[in-house]
Amino acid sequence: MEQSAKNNEPLGLTSAMVTERLKKDGYNELPRPDQRGFFRILFEVLRQPMFALLIGGGIVYLLMGDRMEAIMLLLFACLSVTITIVQESRSEKVLEALRNLASPRALVVRDGKRILIAGREVVRDDFIVISEGDRVAADATLFWSHDLLLDESLLTGESVPVRKLAQELERKSVVPSPGGEDLPFIFAGTLVVRGTGHAIVHATGIRSEMGKIGRALGSIETEQPHLQRQIHSFVKVFAIIGALLGGAIVILFGLLRGSWLEATLGGIALGMSLLPEEFPLVMAVFMAMGAWRISQARVLTRRASAIETLGSTTVLCTDKTGTLTENKMTVVALVNGGARWDQDGTTPVPNELRSTLQAALLACPHIPTDPMDIAVHKLADQHLGADKTSVANLKLIRAYGLRPDLFAVANILSNEDDENGTAYAKGALEAIAELCQLSADRLDSIREQMDELGLDGVRVLGIAKATVNNVQQQENLPETPRGLSFDYVGLIGFADPIRSNVPAAVAECRSAGIRVVMITGDYPTTARAIGLQAGLDGANVLAGDDIETMTDEQLAEQVKSTSIFARIQPNQKLRIVQSLKANGEVVAMTGDGVNDAPAIKAAHIGIAMGGRGTDVAREASAIVLLDDDFGSIVKTIRLGRRIYDNLRKAIEYIVAVHIPVAGLALLPLLLGLPLILTPIHIAFLEMVIDPACSVVFEAEKEEDDVMQRPPRDPASPLLQNKRIVWGVLQGLIVLVLLAGIFITAARLGMPEPDLRALVFTSLVFMNMGLILVNRSFKASLISAILRPNLSLWILLSGVTALLATAVFWPPAQKLFHFGQLHWDDLGVCAIAGFFSLLLLEAIKSLWFRVDRKTGKAIANS
């Protein structure tokens, strides 16, 4: 294999080779049997009650001899099906894009460069790099590994991780199969528990071991289960009511008037008017489009249930490095004894500290990936010169990784022919002090130097080195660095500047009633400095050692007033989350490591890092930050509140609009007046209602106070009593106005076709008013109209054009059984619609009035 001259790393495949393999083998993904294609969506739509009612109405029209009405009703049925299929397919495409984002990623070498790609783009013969916490993207053969352990339980059922050893590329091996120690094969879907490795892919997609098992990897939930239950039970109740009332109307109308076909039309019209069939469609569209909108803010929603929970979040737990800060580490200080060097861009590292920098360099990997390791290499390039070149030729004998019980890493290095070598370690001061067996006085003196740096937000690591005998006999080397006699050689300080948007984002969280808590592994002094810069309450800082001595009850009490946690271990993160939850908080938790996964999963909303996070952390999460930016979390909370608000608006509108439609279907039967609404009229209205509630409201801009409200009570249902009452009240007001127009015009002797045109036009105008009223909870009518929403104006323009066609075009008049609508009649309709809009707007301003003492909107919860 062709090698890179820089670091002896393979150059990998070229872009042309990748294209060729993709054409031959396809993408590295498994078939998704649960994917909803066109015909499956079509079948589900045809099973809907509304479709059956439309078909039933068309058949009745045919039996009555009204062929044109029957054809139009069937066309409406087809149009309804088409709209639903388009919207559902759009949702499926959005979800498919999200699934692709959610798939495991892979670090590969192509054209001599390391790049991070989606797992589905990995091809045969790709050079892949794996490290702790990654999920392997494809079956591959190792040719280099270090301390590598993999969890293959997904394939073998064995929960104990297995050790992997590399083989030479030229050597032929046995047939790859999961399980077994010291084999060079790694498999798609398995997790890297420890260590690192380089491998060449030998199987992708359905040719991998995962593909042979046929295990699906889809993880996006399209809807929230409990919301589904609420919506479906609501639809079921109204469907039963509609069926019972429709049947009763058919019997009574048939017996009293003797026209059973007309009675059937009346019953079908009433059933259609009472069936809120928009609810399931609205839920599907809002959840899918909501996840898509959030993804536009560089945030991936892996579980749609997070969209609702976002609006309830009361505590946001965040990491420091890379989330609050830029994760661009720079070495800013070196200290050893009385010597100190501070980075100013011009002053070279003094001779007495060059050994400290060199020891720090040799404790880093030869090819750095960690931001601090990269910073050390960069500083060494600038200040060590030829010394860095000479140490680069040392042979790595053994490397000790970071472990939960020892926050330090170490490398044992030696010349090729030298029997002895040197170990270099860097890590937390406590760990280095333990390795060096420092006295209490010496440790206190070093801590003072560390605290001085920490006051400026500098992250400090200790450096040590030890002489190691007989390094070529690896079996004699200790299992941990504790078996070596280290000497302390100094401190190295790193600075990671806070992101510029963090203070404003923290302030926005505070105004929204969300407490921001920072949980970091850094030293308390450094954590406090960064926390204060971010705008957190730095009065109390709780360290991990203190947490270890606390009971769960004591910790639950402490977390009420603590916003900065320092020197925290992964198991302590889990305890903090559980304590916050025990206090009744709704917790969002960020994390990036394998050991963060329990805390992420335990939180109400788990948030993983997309850039530096591990695959196992992402799989335990509900949300993934693709750019690791704290500001993105706040944007997501804002979007989550907006989506939930708009979903409520759509629900209220659906409830409101169905009441006058049902009332006009029932009223003529009760009063012995001519039928106003038949299935063809209700089908026309559905063409307005469906896109209004599923497209117009979904695209609505957020309320002005969306981030000034306290978090929503998580126990509150979507369909709250106050909201349902508001929707019913709107519908009743519109129904009363329409009934007044209907009864008055009927008593004045208006012909039935003219009467139908008058009432139907008034209903459409008032429906437009309902859409405008429900666009905002509290904004004035003028400001709501001025709010940008292109979908709204397209809808209203289209409805106006269709209504004008139906009312004034003779063929359409005949189809809808409309008479001549004179200009004075049209004026009555317009005045009635405008009056209903003003009346509803006035009532809304009282209904959602603001309590001046609390600042909370009444009836807004």
Side-chain angles (χ1 to χ4, degrees):
M1 178 178 286
E2 192 176 356
Q3 307 286 317
S4 167
K6 180 180 179 182
N7 51 25
N8 293 323
E9 187 174 87
L11 292 172
L13 300 178
T14 64
S15 300
M17 296 166 72
V18 170
T19 303
E20 178 185 346
R21 282 163 174 75
L22 279 176
K23 287 181 179 178
K24 182 177 180 181
D25 299 336
Y27 282 105
N28 178 36
E29 57 188 0
L30 303 180
R32 295 193 176 99
D34 60 336
Q35 191 170 2
R36 298 167 72 240
F38 171 81
F39 289 105
R40 181 174 171 183
I41 295 174
L42 176 63
F43 176 71
E44 291 177 0
V45 171
L46 296 182
R47 293 172 55 197
Q48 296 298 322
M50 181 60 74
F51 182 78
L53 290 172
L54 288 169
I55 295 298
I59 293 172
V60 172
Y61 274 124
L62 282 175
L63 294 175
M64 293 176 65
D66 296 331
R67 273 189 254 172
M68 183 59 70
E69 287 85 346
I71 292 172
M72 284 304 299
L73 203 58
L74 293 175
L75 286 176
F76 275 128
C78 294
L79 183 58
S80 176
V81 169
T82 301
I83 290 175
T84 304
I85 289 176
V86 169
Q87 289 173 330
E88 291 273 349
S89 298
R90 184 184 181 191
S91 299
E92 283 297 312
K93 289 178 181 178
V94 168
L95 291 172
E96 180 64 22
L98 295 176
R99 286 190 189 101
N100 292 337
L101 284 173
S103 67
R105 303 170 312 156
L107 182 62
V108 301
V109 176
R110 289 182 180 171
D111 296 315
K113 297 179 181 178
R114 289 191 177 193
I115 58 172
L116 195 64
I117 62 172
R120 69 189 297 267
E121 296 175 8
V122 172
V123 298
R124 192 168 34 84
D125 297 330
D126 249 332
F127 173 97
I128 63 173
V129 180
I130 58 171
S131 56
E132 181 178 337
D134 289 345
R135 184 172 289 280
V136 180
D139 292 6
T141 303
L142 290 164
F143 65 87
W144 180 87
S145 66
H146 169 66
D147 195 22
L148 191 61
L149 282 181
L150 264 74
D151 177 3
E152 296 184 343
S153 58
L154 188 66
L155 298 174
T156 64
E158 297 294 333
S159 58
V160 179
V162 293
R163 184 171 62 246
K164 298 290 182 178
L165 294 179
Q167 71 170 18
E168 295 297 328
L169 286 177
E170 294 79 10
R171 216 180 87 198
K172 293 188 178 179
S173 64
V174 297
V175 177
S177 61
E181 294 280 346
D182 299 337
L183 294 177
F185 308 113
I186 59 176
F187 303 94
T190 58
L191 290 172
V192 182
V193 176
R194 192 175 72 207
T196 58
H198 299 168
I200 297 294
V201 173
H202 62 251
T204 60
I206 59 174
R207 297 169 184 82
S208 66
E209 291 298 317
M210 177 73 76
K212 294 174 184 177
I213 295 175
R215 187 178 292 261
L217 294 177
S219 60
I220 295 293
E221 300 171 12
T222 56
E223 296 181 58
Q224 305 173 52
H226 66 282
L227 280 183
Q228 279 186 335
R229 289 195 294 272
Q230 287 187 51
I231 294 298
H232 288 170
S233 62
F234 195 77
V235 173
K236 185 177 180 180
V237 168
F238 273 83
I240 292 173
I241 293 173
L244 292 176
L245 286 178
I249 290 301
V250 171
I251 294 172
L252 290 175
F253 194 94
L255 291 175
L256 295 176
R257 299 195 184 184
S259 176
W260 288 97
L261 286 177
E262 193 174 354
T264 303
L265 277 180
I268 290 175
L270 183 61
M272 290 172 62
S273 65
L274 285 174
L275 183 66
E277 53 89 29
E278 300 88 359
F279 279 170
L281 176 65
V282 166
M283 285 298 300
V285 171
F286 268 73
M287 292 301 104
M289 293 302 296
W292 176 79
R293 287 191 186 280
I294 288 176
S295 74
Q296 301 307 292
R298 300 287 296 159
V299 178
L300 168 64
T301 308
R302 298 187 69 253
R303 297 184 180 92
S305 57
I307 293 175
E308 180 192 8
T309 314
L310 281 168
S312 307
T313 303
T314 59
V315 175
L316 176 54
C317 300
T318 178
D319 190 13
K320 176 184 75 68
T321 304
T323 308
L324 296 180
T325 62
E326 294 181 357
N327 198 24
K328 295 180 180 178
M329 284 291 182
T330 302
V331 177
V332 295
L334 291 169
V335 180
N336 188 9
R340 174 170 173 172
W341 170 83
D342 291 292
Q343 174 74 272
D344 60 9
T346 57
T347 305
V349 174
N351 291 331
E352 59 266 32
L353 288 173
R354 289 174 70 87
S355 61
T356 301
L357 176 57
Q358 188 176 76
L361 172 67
L362 293 172
C364 297
H366 178 61
I367 303 175
T369 55
D370 181 82
M372 287 191 289
D373 292 340
I374 293 172
V376 173
H377 273 263
K378 184 176 180 180
L379 187 69
D381 287 336
Q382 295 170 349
H383 295 272
L384 291 185
D387 290 341
K388 182 176 187 296
T389 304
S390 64
V391 301
N393 296 323
L394 294 175
K395 179 183 177 183
L396 177 66
I397 304 300
R398 179 158 185 176
Y400 297 95
L402 196 69
R403 295 179 182 272
D405 60 338
L406 187 67
F407 283 99
V409 297
N411 291 332
I412 298 178
L413 299 149
S414 173
N415 289 315
E416 289 285 347
D417 301 325
D418 197 343
E419 291 185 0
N420 299 325
T422 308
Y424 300 89
K426 65 180 175 68
L429 179 59
E430 294 91 337
I432 297 298
E434 179 187 346
L435 293 178
C436 297
Q437 299 294 306
L438 295 178
S439 65
D441 291 341
R442 180 86 186 277
L443 181 58
D444 288 341
S445 174
I446 296 172
R447 274 211 176 101
E448 289 181 5
Q449 296 175 326
M450 184 174 182
D451 289 342
E452 185 179 350
L453 291 170
L455 289 173
D456 298 324
V458 176
R459 183 174 181 180
V460 183
L461 296 181
I463 308 297
K465 70 177 182 178
T467 301
V468 186
N469 297 322
N470 298 320
V471 293
Q472 305 302 335
Q473 300 176 10
Q474 294 199 26
E475 63 274 8
N476 295 330
L477 296 177
E479 287 299 316
T480 73
R482 288 189 175 96
L484 301 172
S485 299
F486 280 93
D487 293 321
Y488 173 79
V489 296
L491 299 174
I492 184 168
F494 301 85
D496 183 12
I498 195 166
R499 291 179 184 265
S500 60
N501 62 344
V502 164
V506 170
E508 189 173 15
C509 282
R510 188 179 295 112
S511 69
I514 302 169
R515 182 160 66 101
V516 178
V517 170
M518 183 176 73
I519 304 176
T520 179
D522 272 350
Y523 198 68
T525 308
T526 305
R528 186 195 296 271
I530 294 297
L532 291 174
Q533 292 178 38
L536 303 182
D537 180 6
N540 297 324
V541 178
L542 195 60
D545 291 342
D546 299 327
I547 291 177
E548 282 300 306
T549 64
M550 294 181 179
T551 65
D552 290 343
E553 291 74 17
Q554 291 172 330
L555 181 58
E557 186 62 32
Q558 282 291 323
V559 298
K560 291 180 180 178
S561 57
T562 304
S563 295
I564 299 175
F565 296 86
R567 307 306 282 167
I568 299 299
Q569 297 185 22
N571 65 311
Q572 294 167 344
K573 283 188 178 184
L574 178 59
R575 286 193 66 196
I576 293 170
V577 170
Q578 291 172 332
S579 297
L580 289 167
K581 291 172 68 177
N583 291 338
E585 306 284 5
V586 178
V587 183
M589 172 75 196
T590 68
D592 58 358
V594 177
N595 293 328
D596 291 334
I600 291 174
K601 194 168 185 179
H604 295 96
I605 303 178
I607 304 173
M609 302 299 144
R612 60 189 167 87
T614 56
D615 285 324
V616 67
R618 284 189 289 275
E619 290 189 2
S621 68
I623 287 174
V624 178
L625 302 184
L626 299 179
D627 55 7
D628 298 0
D629 187 355
F630 178 79
S632 297
I633 305 176
V634 182
K635 290 179 186 176
T636 303
I637 292 174
R638 172 185 287 272
L639 282 168
R641 291 189 174 193
R642 164 190 166 176
I643 291 164
Y644 201 77
D645 277 355
N646 289 344
L647 183 56
R648 280 181 165 178
K649 295 172 186 177
I651 296 296
E652 291 164 20
Y653 165 73
I654 292 170
V655 171
V657 77
H658 274 272
I659 290 176
V661 175
L664 288 179
L666 185 61
L667 194 62
L669 305 177
L670 298 177
L671 300 179
L673 295 172
L675 284 177
I676 294 298
L677 296 184
T678 61
I680 196 168
H681 300 108
I682 296 176
F684 178 90
L685 290 171
E686 290 294 334
M687 298 302 104
V688 178
I689 296 171
D690 280 352
C693 58
S694 62
V695 177
V696 172
F697 286 107
E698 192 280 327
E700 270 301 313
K701 181 178 175 290
E702 71 266 13
E703 298 287 335
D704 293 336
D705 68 340
V706 69
M707 291 299 281
Q708 277 77 52
R709 305 182 211 145
R712 182 179 53 81
D713 183 357
S716 63
L718 174 66
L719 303 172
Q720 298 178 41
N721 291 334
K722 290 179 180 179
R723 296 289 188 179
I724 296 299
V725 170
W726 166 236
V728 170
L729 179 62
Q730 293 179 81
L732 289 176
I733 290 172
V734 171
L735 177 58
V736 168
L737 293 175
L738 287 170
I741 294 172
F742 177 38
I743 295 172
T744 300
R747 289 189 175 179
L748 291 175
M750 179 175 282
E752 179 180 330
D754 295 0
L755 179 62
R756 183 173 292 109
L758 177 71
V759 175
F760 184 81
T761 303
S762 300
L763 173 59
V764 172
F765 281 170
M766 292 184 187
N767 185 17
M768 293 182 185
L770 286 173
I771 296 172
L772 293 174
V773 167
N774 284 284
R775 288 186 64 203
S776 172
F777 293 135
K778 297 177 295 298
S780 67
L781 180 60
I782 294 177
S783 61
I785 290 175
L786 294 177
R787 290 160 70 101
N789 189 334
L790 182 61
S791 300
L792 169 72
W793 302 115
I794 291 175
L795 174 75
L796 295 184
S797 300
V799 169
T800 302
L802 287 174
L803 180 63
T805 301
V807 171
F808 295 110
W809 190 41
Q813 288 179 338
K814 183 178 180 182
L815 174 66
F816 284 93
H817 299 283
F818 286 163
Q820 186 67 35
L821 192 66
H822 301 95
W823 289 107
D824 54 344
D825 299 326
L826 190 60
V828 170
C829 298
I831 291 171
F834 187 65
F835 176 74
S836 70
L837 176 62
L838 294 180
L839 180 60
L840 290 171
E841 187 66 26
I843 295 174
K844 184 182 75 173
S845 64
L846 296 174
W847 191 270
F848 292 102
R849 69 186 184 279
V850 175
D851 188 329
R852 296 184 184 278
K853 293 182 179 180
T854 65
K856 293 177 63 177
I858 299 174
N860 193 36
S861 62

